[in-house]
Amino acid sequence: GAVVSQHPSWVICKSGTSVKIECRSLDFQATTMFWYRQFPKQSLMLMATSNEGSKATYEQGVEKDKFLINHASLTLSTLTVTSAHPEDSSFYICSARGSEASSYNEQFFGPGTRLTVL
Amino acid sequence: QKEVEQNSGPLSVPEGAIASLNCTYSDRVSQSFFWYRQYSGKSPELIMSIYSNGDKEDGRFTAQLNKASQYVSLLIRDSQPSDSATYLCAVTKAAGNKLTFGGGTRVLVKP
């Protein structure tokens, strides 16, 4: 149980294009999903928290217009990096958490998406 | 002072020995504590969670929590080369469910 998938696992794009990353909880309903990014040899940095059906809460310093998050259902959240630039190249990881009443009341991470912007 | 602190390592242990990892946290309202393992180039994998003082064992892993001293530790018994990874300590507060991560401890298990 507690499987979280991400798609794509890696993507290479040209500067100025937009990239959408999907995060799915496969065997439980995720009331909350989180998006992180991680640069080489650094720890995870939380970008935003999203609850199903409501707007995401962004961490300080994260541009909400650049990193669009949608959590339209209890099993799917998407992160769109708009007008990507080389400095956006990073490892993007989502995590999902079930409700407090469920057996999945912990954060389970997806496998990550490696984004390279040329 | 960082909210969650870990020794960055590397912690080098011989195969079959016990690896002992420590983590301290600064916020006393912290209530949930987690250990994640992260292999190079991969995402974190939850290996232990602990919510109350004392020890919690799961296979070769034992988590220990001492809220009065504000530390949580992880013991890995019979360490294997496959345990070589970075171990992340993470904490959540009662009011929300955001994880606050430590910087991670790199563990190297030598055959």
Side-chain angles (χ1 to χ4, degrees):
Chain A
V3 179
V4 178
S5 70
Q6 271 184 253
H7 178 80
S9 55
W10 59 271
V11 58
I12 301 173
C13 69
K14 292 182 179 180
S15 185
T17 59
S18 295
V19 174
K20 179 185 282 190
I21 302 170
E22 290 186 351
C23 177
R24 294 181 185 272
S25 57
L26 298 185
D27 51 0
F28 68 101
Q29 293 188 324
T31 51
T32 310
M33 285 185 168
F34 305 83
W35 287 95
Y36 297 82
R37 62 193 287 180
Q38 186 176 35
F39 293 106
K41 299 191 185 300
Q42 294 186 22
S43 193
L44 288 86
M45 184 194 84
L46 178 66
M47 299 174 67
T49 302
S50 75
N51 292 295
E52 185 263 339
S54 60
K55 289 184 178 181
T57 302
Y58 290 80
E59 295 299 300
Q60 191 173 10
V62 178
E63 300 174 59
K64 60 180 68 176
D65 293 332
K66 181 168 183 62
F67 299 100
L68 302 177
I69 292 171
N70 183 281
H71 191 165
S73 77
L74 284 171
T75 58
L76 174 65
S77 176
T78 60
L79 167 68
T80 301
V81 183
T82 62
S83 187
H85 290 284
E87 57 267 28
D88 298 322
S89 299
S90 187
F91 191 38
Y92 291 85
I93 312 171
C94 74
S95 71
R97 177 179 178 269
S99 69
E100 291 189 17
S102 76
S103 302
Y104 302 102
N105 187 29
E106 293 158 340
Q107 281 193 39
F108 299 94
F109 284 83
T113 297
R114 195 162 302 280
L115 170 64
T116 301
V117 185
L118 302 177
Chain B
Q1 182 188 10
K2 293 181 180 178
E3 288 189 58
V4 181
E5 296 210 53
Q6 297 179 251
N7 188 317
S8 61
L11 175 64
S12 185
V13 297
E15 184 175 358
I18 295 175
S20 177
L21 292 78
N22 294 314
C23 170
T24 59
Y25 59 95
S26 60
D27 196 331
R28 285 194 172 273
V29 302
S30 302
Q31 291 202 350
S32 304
F33 306 86
F34 307 89
W35 284 98
Y36 286 86
R37 177 175 62 196
Q38 186 175 26
Y39 292 111
S40 181
K42 303 294 184 182
S43 67
E45 172 192 8
L46 179 65
I47 54 173
M48 289 288 286
S49 60
I50 187 166
Y51 304 98
S52 55
N53 281 328
D55 296 359
K56 179 181 178 183
E57 187 175 317
D58 184 359
R60 295 185 296 111
F61 299 100
T62 298
Q64 299 172 318
L65 174 62
N66 184 322
K67 289 187 177 181
S69 300
Q70 295 177 235
Y71 84 78
V72 57
S73 63
L74 180 71
L75 299 177
I76 308 173
R77 289 181 301 281
D78 188 24
S79 296
Q80 302 297 308
S82 58
D83 294 326
S84 297
T86 296
Y87 289 80
L88 301 169
C89 172
V91 169
T92 62
K93 298 177 187 178
N97 52 16
K98 291 196 300 183
L99 285 172
T100 300
F101 282 95
T105 297
R106 187 167 161 235
V107 172
L108 293 175
V109 181
K110 297 187 176 180

